[in-house]
Amino acid sequence: MPDSKEQVFREKLNLERSASKVNSLVLSKLKYDSYIEKVTSLKTSSKKENNDLRFLRRYDIIEVSGITKLIHPVTDQENIKYYVFDEELFGVLNEAHISTGHGGRDRMIEQLKGKFQNVTTKDILLFLRLCEPCIQKLNHKKKGRLVVKLLLFKEVKSRCQVDLIDFQSQSDRDFQFIMVY
Ligand SMILES: [Zn+2]
């Protein structure tokens, strides 16, 4: 998808974010970076308050090819779940969508839930509503359904079209109409 799609997504996302109540899962890049800093300093600090411990139960960091990433704390290194910040959300969703061959909601959820901690179904739906090929496919399906429905008659000649031709002005004795069947 070209960059303009990402811009539209970001605008809609921002609208949705500002309309909903404060969601603890939502991370801006700024918040994301501050959380990384907080984890780093808390880990080296000897004195931890209760809410610090709570914070560390939700957030941890890991270094991936020189970049520090925010993750959900894990004991099992195989199954690391990353936090995603809003500025990179489009890229994450787009990759999952394309790698599943324009996968729908359920396939996207399946693809993302094991890798990311804070991608929501709402985010996925927002993304899907903006994918042009998917919208067209959906519209095509809807149109197709309508045509199939019209042709679903149980028996041959169970429906017909009837019309009347008006000959009242030139009636043939009592006959004033011709019925076209
Ligand atoms: Zn698509």
Side-chain angles (χ1 to χ4, degrees), residues 84-98:
V84 178
F85 50 87
D86 275 356
E87 288 83 343
E88 67 177 354
L89 185 56
F90 180 86
V92 166
L93 292 172
N94 197 41
E95 203 196 305
H97 189 55
I98 298 306

Side-chain angles (χ1 to χ4, degrees), residues 1 97-98 101-103 127-128 130-135 137:
M1 263 185 250
H97 189 55
I98 298 306
H102 283 272
F127 175 88
L128 288 175
L130 296 174
C131 183
E132 204 59 48
C134 282
I135 296 166
K137 208 164 67 187

Side-chain angles (χ1 to χ4, degrees), residues 38-50 52-53 56:
K38 193 170 171 182
V39 171
T40 313
S41 73
L42 282 177
K43 279 189 152 181
T44 52
S45 147
S46 53
K47 194 167 169 280
K48 292 184 188 73
E49 307 281 337
N50 267 343
D52 295 334
L53 293 170
L56 287 176

Side-chain angles (χ1 to χ4, degrees), residues 158-164 179-181:
S158 65
R159 282 199 178 197
C160 65
Q161 188 172 358
V162 174
D163 234 330
L164 288 176
M179 188 174 87
V180 182
Y181 176 83

Side-chain angles (χ1 to χ4, degrees), residues 27-28 31-40 55 58-64 67-73 80-85 88 115-118:
L27 288 172
S28 63
K31 201 164 154 191
Y32 182 92
D33 287 341
S34 77
Y35 280 14
I36 287 179
E37 257 176 59
K38 193 170 171 182
V39 171
T40 313
F55 189 83
R58 287 187 62 190
Y59 301 100
D60 199 0
I61 50 173
I62 194 172
E63 205 159 298
V64 183
I67 300 163
T68 309
K69 301 235 179 198
L70 193 65
I71 61 169
H72 194 258
I80 294 168
K81 283 170 108 179
Y82 296 91
Y83 281 97
V84 178
F85 50 87
E88 67 177 354
K115 293 182 196 163
F116 300 100
Q117 179 66 20
N118 63 331

